[in-house]
Amino acid sequence: MRKLDFSLCEVTHRDCSTDPAGFTGHDESYAVMQLHAAHGPECRRFLAAQAHFSAELDD
């Protein structure tokens, strides 16, 4: 398993108003949730990361 580059994640997922193109896996979606946790319900990055993270837990 490759180590997630958190600083790259910050740059790639900085815009809360756009939908992310996708996540490389569980680690990336978790990191995005951490980065955007305090942004509120309009943060599309947090909502997408949470959905991806939850879907992986269901598998």
Side-chain angles (χ1 to χ4, degrees):
M1 182 159 128
R2 71 179 181 85
K3 185 178 179 205
L4 180 68
D5 184 348
F6 198 76
S7 60
L8 179 61
C9 190
E10 287 180 302
V11 171
T12 306
H13 294 284
R14 69 177 172 261
D15 187 359
C16 295
S17 65
T18 61
D19 290 322
F23 299 99
T24 58
H26 182 81
D27 291 339
E28 184 178 15
S29 60
Y30 183 77
V32 172
M33 285 192 326
Q34 296 300 308
L35 288 169
H36 294 270
H39 293 182
E42 287 86 28
C43 180
R44 298 174 95 171
R45 297 284 173 160
F46 178 80
L47 296 174
Q50 188 177 38
H52 184 269
F53 188 81
S54 296
E56 286 209 0
L57 291 179
D58 290 341
D59 288 342

